[in-house]
Amino acid sequence: LGGIGQRIARIARAFDMRVTGVRRDPARGAGAAEAVYGFPHLPALLPEADVVVLCCPLTDETRHLMNARTLDLLKPTALLINVARGGCIDEAALVSALSDNRFAGAGIDVTEMEPLAEGSPLWTLPNVVLTPHTAGETRHYERNVVDILVANLRKLRTGDTDLVNRVA
C-alpha cells in the first residue's frame, strides 16, 4: 500500500471492490483500503482474494512473495496481476499453477528476466495476459517523475530522509 497501491485501491473502491492491503508497516495506515496487514498475514488473506495485485518493490522480503505455496492458496477463480517487479513471483511456480489451471489467470507486466525468453510458456498460456513492462506509463509519467524528484531534493536539502517513492 505504497503510492501505487493506494492509487490502485482508490480505483478498485470506485468499482465497489472491497480492498484489503498489505504493507511492510501496517501502522502507517490503510489509506484507501478498508484494512491493512503486514506481510506475515498474506497467506491468511490470499484464499479470500478475487484479485491480487502486486505493486511492491523487490526486496528480500518480497522476492518470490508469490511462490508455489502462496499461489496454491489462491482460489480457482482468482486473478493475479503483477505490476511490481518480476522477481516478486517465482516464475516456474507461476507457470506450473497456470498450466494446471489452479487459479483463473494472470496479468503480467514484468518478468524475472526481461525481455521474456522467446520459449517461455507464458507466451502461449491462454490464461495469461502479457504486457511489455509499461503498466506505469501514462501521458503524465514524465511530469510525475519530475515532481517526485523535486520533492525528494527538497527533503534531502533539509536532512529529511523519508523520501517519496523510496524503493529500499
Side-chain angles (χ1 to χ4, degrees):
L1 274 179
I4 296 169
Q6 291 291 343
R7 179 75 172 137
I8 292 169
R10 281 193 299 278
I11 292 168
R13 297 281 304 268
F15 286 95
D16 291 327
M17 295 173 79
R18 186 173 56 87
V19 177
T20 301
V22 175
R23 69 185 322 166
R24 187 177 308 126
D25 180 9
R28 292 184 65 189
E34 294 175 45
V36 64
Y37 298 90
F39 281 109
H41 290 92
L42 184 64
L45 298 170
L46 289 173
E48 301 301 317
D50 293 311
V51 179
V52 175
V53 180
L54 299 179
C55 52
C56 52
L58 181 60
T59 66
D60 290 340
E61 189 174 26
T62 63
R63 181 173 304 282
H64 289 182
L65 183 67
M66 297 305 293
N67 53 50
R69 184 179 59 85
T70 52
L71 290 168
D72 281 344
L73 295 173
L74 296 175
K75 57 186 172 182
T77 55
L79 297 173
L80 174 64
I81 299 169
N82 189 11
V83 294
R85 294 287 180 244
C88 294
I89 297 179
D90 177 340
E91 213 162 275
L94 176 67
V95 167
S96 176
L98 289 168
S99 295
D100 294 343
N101 293 305
R102 292 196 298 261
F103 65 97
I108 306 296
D109 187 55
V110 290
T111 55
E112 286 191 276
M113 297 298 295
E114 292 184 350
L116 183 61
E118 189 175 315
S120 171
L122 290 174
W123 288 115
T124 58
L125 286 169
N127 50 356
V128 173
V129 174
L130 286 171
T131 55
H133 200 150
T134 57
E137 293 291 326
T138 69
R139 60 188 170 131
H140 303 291
Y141 176 78
E142 285 78 16
R143 185 186 72 212
N144 292 341
V145 169
V146 171
D147 291 346
I148 291 170
L149 174 64
V150 169
N152 283 339
L153 289 173
R154 284 186 181 130
K155 285 179 172 241
L156 288 171
R157 187 175 54 211
T158 64
D160 184 354
T161 59
D162 185 23
L163 303 179
V164 176
N165 201 27
R166 186 177 191 141
V167 174

